[in-house]
Amino acid sequence: MTPMPEPVFALIDCNSFYASCERVFRPDLARTPIVVLSNNDGCVIARSAEAKAYARMGEPYFQIRDKLRRHGVLAFSSNYALYGDMSERVMGLIESMVPAVQVYSIDEAWLDLTGMPGDMEAFSRDLRHRVLRCTSIPVGVGIAHTKTLAKLANHTAKRLQAHTGGVVDIRDNFKRDWVLRNTAVTDVWGVGRRMAEHFGAMGIRTAMDLARADAWTLRQKFSVVVEKTARELAGTPCLELDEAEPPKQEICCSRMFGKRLTELVLIKQAVATYVARAAEKLRAQRSVCKRIRVSIRTGMFNPDEAHHAQGVLVELPYPTSDTLLMTRFATDAVSKIYRPGFRYSKAEVLLMELRQPGEFSGDLFALKQPVACGRLMQVMDDINDRWGRGTMRVARVPVAPDWGMRREMMSQSYTTRIDQLWTVKC
């Protein structure tokens, strides 16, 4: 009887993904330090390698604006349309070369290489080269017998880029032990600052210390997740490749306004916009919703402004994915919590009690979503998928509201808008 092959996992991670996307169509920025900002150009959420000396993650942009300019650091507003499209290109290319892929985030994917013939390190270098050649996005690859070790190998590949060439394979015990000894426990996947403090009190300071710790004691003192992490570091696979993500139990859409809003009609426009986006996500996972929480608030940190924050739960008449129905109930709810005289800065829409159609158990006379509503939503989604989000929308949703996110330094949407295509001058 042929023995089962030992599991082989790889983690492929795009290097400084948002900053790398900004460079794809701007080769003149190849050596320029770059930071990318959060919504409304608030905080630093991504940095190129060259910019890490001048900006910390989460640092407010207004506090470091002058310093960045002095050092030639270029700031960009977040361009999610560009980043999402580039992510799809990278992930599609990876999926064409590997039989089993789990997209973990916008810039990370797990690969199951178990049973694949040939040299895995050479294959990974070829994969890395092809992604760079076809998308101009640099990536790092870590290979190991467990997912946690693969994550650690990937971290090492990026940390020692000049020596590793962006690929590290630690299936060999000698290489694995070297990486474990030379990696702080704070760099282990899932270990946060507070847990690291507890580990420090137990004398666990490196990944090797955690791998050698008694797994049962860790389970009793912390959780089964920590136990699995330790076992995976020791080489025992405990985590499998999840090829299909389970449907979310809640969907939230929350944004800061580009400016303070005082008029009820404008706040209703914002809530309608957020309902439309949340409903798109709801239908994408083929779920329906029975309850919505709508909340609005003012800025909470300015001592010169009056503060107000309030939310309300909205019961829908039946489980639905109908944007029209949810928009009507959500915007009506805004009237109940809005207070004149306040300057509102944020709204949030949270879809709750999500189920697959048919999972809600109602009585014989309970209302159900009409079949025509489902067909209408499918037509709207098809049109928006083909011609761009917002092509067909609820009338309450404005095209270009003046309260929208501030993105004064946003690059062109080179791949998603025909009027912003890359131009080459001969």
Side-chain angles (χ1 to χ4, degrees), residues 82-122:
L82 175 64
Y83 308 152
D85 187 67
M86 293 305 299
S87 174
E88 288 184 9
R89 296 181 183 209
V90 171
M91 300 307 169
L93 186 60
I94 295 170
E95 289 170 348
S96 71
M97 298 180 65
V98 180
V101 177
Q102 176 195 349
V103 177
Y104 183 61
S105 67
I106 193 171
D107 63 343
E108 288 181 289
W110 297 103
L111 318 180
D112 189 348
L113 306 180
T114 305
M116 286 186 63
D119 186 337
M120 288 298 99
E121 184 173 342

Side-chain angles (χ1 to χ4, degrees), residues 268-281:
K268 285 189 173 185
Q269 284 182 1
V271 168
T273 303
Y274 302 163
V275 169
R277 180 64 185 126
E280 288 177 0
K281 296 179 180 179

Side-chain angles (χ1 to χ4, degrees), residues 99-321:
V101 177
Q102 176 195 349
V103 177
Y104 183 61
S105 67
I106 193 171
D107 63 343
E108 288 181 289
W110 297 103
L111 318 180
D112 189 348
L113 306 180
T114 305
M116 286 186 63
D119 186 337
M120 288 298 99
E121 184 173 342
F123 170 79
S124 298
R125 293 191 185 280
D126 178 61
L127 174 60
R128 183 178 183 274
H129 173 73
R130 190 171 301 186
V131 170
L132 182 63
R133 179 166 55 86
C134 295
T135 68
S136 296
I137 300 294
V139 300
V141 184
I143 310 167
H145 287 304
T146 72
K147 290 178 72 173
T148 305
L149 283 172
K151 183 83 170 177
L152 215 58
N154 182 279
H155 173 73
T156 304
K158 296 170 69 174
R159 181 166 57 95
L160 304 176
Q161 173 79 28
H163 301 286
T164 64
V167 176
V168 167
D169 182 353
I170 58 172
R171 289 176 295 164
D172 176 77
N173 290 342
F174 178 81
K175 293 180 179 179
R176 182 196 68 190
D177 291 347
W178 186 93
V179 169
L180 290 173
R181 285 194 303 270
N182 289 276
T183 303
V185 72
T186 51
D187 291 328
V188 173
W189 184 29
V191 176
R193 180 179 58 82
R194 288 189 177 181
M195 188 175 293
E197 292 175 357
H198 290 299
F199 284 160
M202 298 171 62
I204 299 174
R205 294 179 174 81
T206 68
M208 177 64 85
D209 294 334
L210 184 56
R212 290 177 173 174
D214 182 69
W216 181 247
T217 300
L218 293 174
R219 178 173 183 163
Q220 290 181 313
K221 189 173 180 63
F222 299 104
S223 67
V224 66
V225 175
V226 177
E227 176 199 8
K228 287 183 177 180
T229 298
R231 291 188 185 278
E232 288 241 326
L233 289 174
T236 302
C238 300
L239 304 174
E240 297 181 353
L241 200 70
D242 299 322
E243 295 186 35
E245 290 291 330
K248 291 186 170 104
Q249 300 304 304
E250 292 182 344
I251 293 175
C252 180
C253 188
S254 173
R255 298 283 189 277
M256 297 288 291
F257 307 139
K259 65 177 185 178
R260 296 290 197 266
L261 299 184
T262 58
E263 298 179 37
L264 177 61
V265 63
L266 296 180
I267 297 174
K268 285 189 173 185
Q269 284 182 1
V271 168
T273 303
Y274 302 163
V275 169
R277 180 64 185 126
E280 288 177 0
K281 296 179 180 179
L282 181 72
R283 292 192 293 273
Q285 68 175 35
R286 304 183 185 280
S287 296
V288 290
C289 169
K290 187 62 172 64
R291 180 181 293 177
I292 304 176
R293 186 178 190 277
V294 180
S295 59
I296 56 176
R297 70 171 174 84
T298 61
M300 306 305 289
F301 303 105
N302 188 340
D304 299 325
E305 286 187 348
H307 297 164
H308 178 244
Q310 192 170 351
V312 62
L313 285 175
V314 180
E315 293 289 341
L316 299 171
Y318 48 80
T320 183
S321 60

